[in-house]
Amino acid sequence: MRQLLTLLRRTVKSPPAAAILVRRGAHYKAPKAANPPTPPKPPQKPQSFSHHDQTWEDPYSWMSSLNDKVAMRHMDIYMEQEEKYAEAVMADTDRLQSKLQSEMASRLSFDLSTPPLRWGPWLYYRRAEEGKQYPVLCRRLASLNEEFISHKSPSAGFDFTSGKRIEQKLLDYNQEAERFGGYAYEELSEVSPDHRFLAYTMYDKDNDFYRLSVRNLNSGALCGKPQADRVSSLAWAKDGQALLYVVTDQKKRPCRIYCSIIGSTDDDVLLLGELDDSTYVNIRHTKDFHFVTVTTFTPKSSKVFLINAADPFSGLTLVWECEGLAHCILEHHQGLLYLFTDAAKEGQPVDFHYLLRSPVDASTGPRIWENVFIDDLDLVVEDVDFCSTNLVMILREDRNFRLCSVPLPLPAGKGPVSLKELHPNYLPLPKYVSQISPGPNYDYYSSTMRFTISSPVMPDAVVDYDLSSGKWNIVQQQNILHERTKVLYGTASLPSILKQTSNTTTVDSPNDVRLNDYDLWNDLSEFYACERHNVCSYDGVEVPLTILRSRKNKREDKNPGLLHGHGAYGELLDKRWRSELKSLLDRGWLIAYADVRGGGGGGKKWHRDGRGTKKNNSIEDYISCAKYLIERQIVNENKLAGWGYSAGGLLVASAINICPDLFRALVLKVPFLDATNTLLNPILPLTAADYEEFGYPWNIDDFHAIRKYSPYDNVRKDVLYPAVLISSSFNTRFGVWEAAKWVARVREHAMYDPKRPVLLNLTTDIVEENRYLQCKESALEAAFLIKMMES
């Protein structure tokens, strides 16, 4: 039950907070010198701050004074010094960086197109055009697709028999880039149910908001209205004749819903205007387009309303309400509403999501919601998706993921049932699954559903499962072993594999999946070993640790290792196969992933136990995993590195404040480092979820917890710190000033060792998705790690 057309929205590049990082000093060539380069020293301008019962001094607070022209001039000078220092330190790795970049680039998929997604009579896909920076969004009639299997060539859009072009270009993002400052980033994309219009939002960098446009897919022209700014969510109504959209206030809080009639000259109608500063609004349509659901959130309550899509001006009907902030996704199937939520039950918080149902027509009395399934703590439902014939569930059994389907409608009148009573069909999966992500699955009336299957030892596989026949196809997956892309389309590709998959049988339990099925996946486990360990943390809690290594390299205590961590927002740690890590694995490195508290995969309690006043748990978990690698001689005690992105940067940087001698090097990407100041005086907007995660500094207990774990506030004096490479930007949620302040403080307080440099890799702007530039950045990181381990 995700936002739809996800793959089609992977159009241009990562969001601003995750922008690909490109060094400003990329063309600077530092002269090679016998003496090591000297790190720059920014000016100190001490300023005192007080809150609750504490007073502290920040000599680098001036770096975040964005409205102070003098301070920003000093910042420009300092940033130039930093880039020159980083270039000088890394100058002797130029050849290594080139080699690594060449290796990584050689593993890139040559195919830049997405596999066609069928919805109704159409196949939607995006593809690259030769010599163009951005892709184009296209479609063609499925009835004309049988003899035009390949999507690698533009000629696939031409019917040579009839002489007619069968491909229709819907949106050229190269043209969108011209409209939006030279680059294009699309946030939302929704095709109308009648396939006549495309509503989408593009990021306007100059104004820092998302702008809504609607394009007529028959003519290709932009519609005169709606054209709105600061749009955060969309939903179609009236079979594509009306578009509902949510706009944000100046603080980026989604708060108002408008309805626009396509083709009408009337002003857009305000359907809901939230005045409460703590209320956030989101909309989506049910998969059958019968309703638009409106979800409102505050820290104290969550509500779900229904709007009749056939008459969007008929008002909002409240169908669900609960205390606290809860995840609430509503679907409709044959007169029944299904609610997937993690709201508290009878006033008691729960550690999992569960599925409820209620008749749409409940006008005779108070609405009653009944549980669909009997709670089973051994088999947790992580996510659900619907089509007209089946309910598909992503399950977690302990730490293992499963995928199953049951036919619809579900038995009625029996009350909650055990999932086993419904004889679920467990769908084939590869080994060591780390994540299952629902695909767009836009076609509600199709029994074929798409999922992306991820594993540490397998490139992501986009898989279509036919729920009615049991057949399944891998429609796209990169073949790392042959340095090319394996793309399968229908009956035209790899007939031997498809013959086997067409005979896939229905199974009654996860253990009944045939062993032969594993041979059908592009699995790398023959070459790379995946090990799972349980590490005892400081308080006795077992923390999952996943270790990846090359089988061709002998396991010994001389191996260097890289330990990843995140531990925030209840998000799963990204353990997907990343081809750039192959360069380290093949050089004898071990790649480890610490699933610390605060992250996902262990239920809501696992998340709660690593956030707010309990954030220290996630940090101690990470430290325990690092010590485990060293004490078990899995990694050399002098060759362990840490890696953290965003909130993961806070985790890793906090860990080295506690145990600075545990790591030899760190790589931090757009890290959150200055927790106290950022949470007290946010320069860039923060959400309620951010404060829920890291703590409300106006609460004295939360404030003391923040002060205790904040990396910037706890840098130790006269201690030798690891070598550090930080990549950051002015255009991220955690601005470059956080990284710059932390770098300056570490250099000021810690012992100086030229063999353990602290480098700031600065980016100047949000840049378009360019996989070769991404390789360049990954090569820089790998070269830094190799250099630090060999120095």
Side-chain angles (χ1 to χ4, degrees):
M1 296 170 73
R2 304 293 190 188
Q3 286 293 333
L4 306 175
L5 280 178
T6 302
L7 290 183
L8 298 182
R9 289 194 344 241
R10 286 175 47 216
T11 310
V12 284
K13 68 185 194 66
S14 304
I20 297 167
L21 306 177
V22 182
R23 284 176 292 153
R24 265 173 56 174
H27 302 292
Y28 171 77
K29 296 297 180 182
K32 295 189 177 181
N35 297 321
T38 302
K41 292 184 178 180
Q44 297 189 21
K45 303 175 183 179
Q47 186 174 353
S48 293
F49 298 89
S50 295
H51 193 69
H52 288 308
D53 54 352
Q54 289 193 21
T55 298
W56 65 95
E57 194 173 81
D58 185 355
Y60 303 112
S61 64
W62 62 269
M63 293 184 183
S64 60
S65 301
L66 303 185
N67 296 322
D68 186 332
K69 294 182 179 180
V70 174
M72 290 300 97
R73 280 199 295 270
H74 287 171
M75 191 66 166
D76 283 341
I77 294 171
Y78 174 46
M79 291 297 99
E80 176 129 358
Q81 294 171 345
E82 286 290 354
E83 65 192 33
K84 290 182 178 180
Y85 174 63
E87 286 285 336
V89 170
M90 296 299 294
D92 60 348
T93 67
D94 284 349
R95 292 184 63 183
L96 175 60
Q97 288 186 56
S98 297
K99 179 175 175 58
L100 289 166
Q101 186 176 352
S102 177
E103 290 176 10
M104 295 173 185
S106 71
R107 302 185 196 110
L108 292 177
S109 164
F110 293 113
D111 179 17
L112 299 179
S113 301
T114 61
L117 169 69
R118 180 159 187 170
W119 180 23
W122 294 98
L123 289 168
Y124 290 88
Y125 57 97
R126 67 179 178 94
R127 62 172 177 79
E129 293 188 317
E130 187 175 354
K132 298 290 184 67
Q133 178 65 52
Y134 298 105
V136 291
L137 179 63
C138 305
R139 72 180 179 187
R140 59 177 178 252
L141 287 170
S143 60
L144 299 176
N145 187 58
E146 292 302 322
E147 297 182 15
F148 300 94
I149 301 300
S150 173
H151 64 290
K152 297 180 179 180
S153 169
S155 62
F158 191 80
D159 183 345
F160 290 96
T161 302
S162 66
K164 295 181 179 179
R165 180 162 294 280
I166 63 173
E167 178 183 80
Q168 181 184 1
K169 291 184 181 180
L170 305 180
L171 190 60
D172 187 336
Y173 292 96
N174 298 283
Q175 296 177 4
E176 292 299 307
E178 296 176 6
R179 292 177 61 207
F180 292 94
Y183 71 94
Y185 168 55
E186 179 186 76
E187 175 71 5
L188 304 172
S189 178
E190 297 285 354
V191 176
S192 63
D194 59 3
H195 303 275
R196 293 175 56 205
F197 299 100
L198 171 69
Y200 61 102
T201 61
M202 303 296 296
Y203 183 65
D204 186 331
K205 187 189 84 167
D206 293 337
N207 295 294
D208 190 26
F209 55 56
Y210 293 96
R211 177 166 292 169
L212 169 66
S213 299
V214 176
R215 192 173 291 273
N216 186 315
L217 297 184
N218 293 324
S219 67
L222 281 173
C223 298
K225 61 180 290 293
Q227 290 189 4
D229 297 333
R230 303 195 306 273
V231 174
S232 61
S233 56
L234 305 170
W236 285 101
K238 292 179 69 67
D239 292 327
Q241 298 177 51
L243 179 68
L244 280 66
Y245 59 92
V246 175
V247 299
T248 66
D249 61 15
Q250 296 297 331
K251 296 182 179 180
K252 299 187 178 182
R253 178 182 64 91
C255 57
R256 292 187 298 277
I257 303 175
Y258 288 90
C259 179
S260 177
I261 301 299
I262 306 300
S264 169
T265 58
D266 295 340
D267 291 341
D268 296 349
V269 177
L270 179 66
L271 301 184
L272 177 67
E274 280 291 345
L275 301 178
D276 186 344
D277 288 344
S278 65
T279 301
Y280 291 72
V281 178
N282 184 68
I283 61 173
R284 62 184 296 273
H285 56 73
T286 56
K287 294 188 70 173
D288 60 7
F289 287 98
H290 286 186
F291 298 97
V292 172
T293 66
V294 178
T295 312
T296 64
F297 302 97
T298 73
K300 296 182 179 180
S301 69
S302 302
K303 299 178 182 179
V304 181
F305 300 85
L306 276 188
I307 294 177
N308 183 352
D311 184 10
F313 302 116
S314 60
L316 286 71
T317 302
L318 179 66
V319 295
W320 167 261
E321 182 176 10
C322 67
E323 294 184 356
L325 192 63
H327 182 223
C328 305
I329 298 292
L330 194 71
E331 262 304 339
H332 172 251
H333 184 271
Q334 296 184 7
L336 290 173
L337 298 176
Y338 287 88
L339 179 70
F340 189 60
T341 184
D342 59 356
K345 284 188 173 183
E346 299 177 353
Q348 297 298 316
V350 297
D351 194 31
F352 48 82
H353 284 74
Y354 53 93
L355 191 63
L356 301 172
R357 68 180 171 186
S358 176
V360 172
D361 186 7
S363 58
T364 57
R367 180 173 294 277
I368 298 175
W369 290 89
E370 65 172 4
N371 282 286
V372 173
F373 299 114
I374 297 172
D375 293 340
D376 185 351
L377 297 181
D378 295 326
L379 200 62
V380 176
V381 181
E382 289 287 332
D383 202 358
V384 298
D385 203 348
F386 284 82
C387 67
S388 61
T389 58
N390 289 82
L391 167 65
V392 181
M393 290 171 284
I394 299 172
L395 307 174
R396 177 171 50 83
E397 190 173 20
D398 190 19
R399 298 279 176 174
N400 300 312
F401 288 94
R402 309 292 187 195
L403 184 62
C404 77
S405 70
V406 295
L408 291 174
L410 297 175
K414 294 183 178 180
V417 298
S418 169
L419 178 59
K420 295 179 181 178
E421 293 180 38
L422 301 179
H423 304 290
N425 175 23
Y426 282 90
L427 306 175
L429 293 172
K431 300 175 183 177
Y432 310 115
V433 173
S434 62
Q435 188 171 352
I436 303 174
S437 304
N441 297 326
Y442 219 14
D443 198 335
Y444 175 71
Y445 298 100
S446 172
S447 62
T448 297
M449 300 189 73
R450 180 169 293 179
F451 293 85
T452 299
I453 313 299
S454 302
S455 164
V457 287
M458 184 193 78
D460 280 1
V462 180
V463 186
D464 278 352
Y465 294 95
D466 188 331
L467 306 178
S468 61
S469 67
K471 297 177 182 179
W472 58 287
N473 288 333
I474 301 173
V475 296
Q476 191 173 59
Q477 187 181 28
Q478 186 179 7
N479 191 329
I480 297 294
L481 302 180
H482 297 91
E483 312 292 358
R484 61 180 175 82
T485 299
K486 177 171 69 177
V487 181
L488 312 182
Y489 278 95
T491 59
S493 301
L494 297 185
S496 60
I497 286 184
L498 295 185
K499 182 178 179 180
Q500 295 179 63
T501 60
S502 66
N503 294 326
T504 302
T505 57
T506 300
V507 294
D508 294 326
S509 77
N511 298 325
D512 290 335
V513 175
R514 301 177 308 172
L515 293 177
N516 289 341
D517 288 339
Y518 292 130
D519 298 332
L520 306 180
W521 304 88
N522 184 15
D523 191 304
L524 304 174
S525 57
E526 179 183 350
F527 306 93
Y528 300 97
C530 181
E531 304 169 2
R532 290 175 173 174
H533 301 249
N534 287 319
V535 177
C536 186
S537 192
Y538 78 108
D539 57 356
V541 171
E542 288 192 341
V543 180
L545 177 67
T546 303
I547 300 174
L548 191 62
R549 62 179 177 84
S550 173
R551 292 189 186 276
K552 71 179 181 181
N553 293 306
K554 184 179 179 182
R555 177 173 170 173
E556 54 187 16
D557 62 2
K558 295 180 181 179
N559 294 111
L562 183 64
L563 180 60
H564 291 246
H566 187 257
Y569 297 103
E571 295 175 355
L572 285 174
L573 178 63
D574 186 359
K575 297 192 288 288
R576 295 174 299 169
W577 170 263
R578 291 167 52 199
S579 61
E580 64 267 25
L581 292 179
K582 187 176 186 291
S583 293
L584 290 177
L585 288 167
D586 291 348
R587 286 172 169 80
W589 282 66
L590 290 104
I591 310 299
Y593 301 90
D595 278 302
V596 304
R597 280 172 282 186
K604 289 181 66 178
K605 185 177 187 301
W606 190 259
H607 174 210
R608 289 194 300 267
D609 285 348
R611 73 180 187 187
T613 56
K614 297 181 179 180
K615 190 63 188 173
N616 186 63
N617 285 338
S618 63
I619 299 165
E620 291 290 349
D621 290 350
Y622 186 78
I623 291 171
S624 297
C625 289
K627 290 180 177 179
Y628 180 91
L629 292 171
I630 293 171
E631 292 169 358
R632 297 296 180 96
Q633 297 185 338
I634 300 172
V635 172
N636 186 297
E637 63 177 344
N638 295 314
K639 292 187 176 182
L640 179 61
W643 193 96
Y645 167 76
S646 191
L650 178 145
L651 173 78
V652 177
S654 297
I656 66 165
N657 282 338
I658 299 172
C659 298
D661 58 343
L662 201 54
F663 295 90
R664 181 66 182 82
L666 301 180
V667 173
L668 307 177
K669 302 191 74 168
V670 289
F672 179 31
L673 299 171
D674 190 13
T676 302
N677 293 308
T678 294
L679 292 170
L680 274 175
N681 301 292
I683 297 170
L684 300 176
L686 298 178
T687 67
D690 295 322
Y691 287 109
E692 191 79 14
E693 188 65 35
F694 300 108
Y696 293 86
W698 301 277
N699 176 291
I700 192 167
D701 293 333
D702 284 12
F703 174 75
H704 285 299
I706 294 166
R707 291 287 293 168
K708 184 178 180 180
Y709 73 69
S710 175
Y712 179 67
D713 297 306
N714 291 282
V715 175
R716 294 170 60 178
K717 293 185 177 181
D718 302 323
V719 172
L720 185 61
Y721 267 61
V724 184
L725 174 65
I726 297 184
S727 295
S728 192
S729 168
F730 278 102
N731 294 285
T732 64
R733 292 181 65 231
F734 306 124
V736 71
W737 51 87
E738 294 211 5
K741 290 172 66 176
W742 186 86
V743 164
R745 178 159 282 184
V746 169
R747 291 185 186 144
E748 175 193 353
H749 285 356
M751 296 172 59
Y752 174 68
D753 182 348
K755 292 184 178 181
R756 298 196 175 198
V758 179
L759 308 180
L760 179 55
N761 175 34
L762 183 66
T763 71
T764 58
D765 213 338
I766 306 171
V767 296
E768 61 272 9
E769 185 174 86
N770 185 313
R771 298 183 306 159
Y772 294 96
L773 286 178
Q774 193 170 16
C775 285
K776 187 173 184 178
E777 288 302 301
S778 296
L780 172 66
E781 292 179 16
F784 171 80
L785 291 170
I786 293 170
K787 172 182 171 71
M788 293 305 110
M789 296 306 168
E790 294 179 351
S791 64

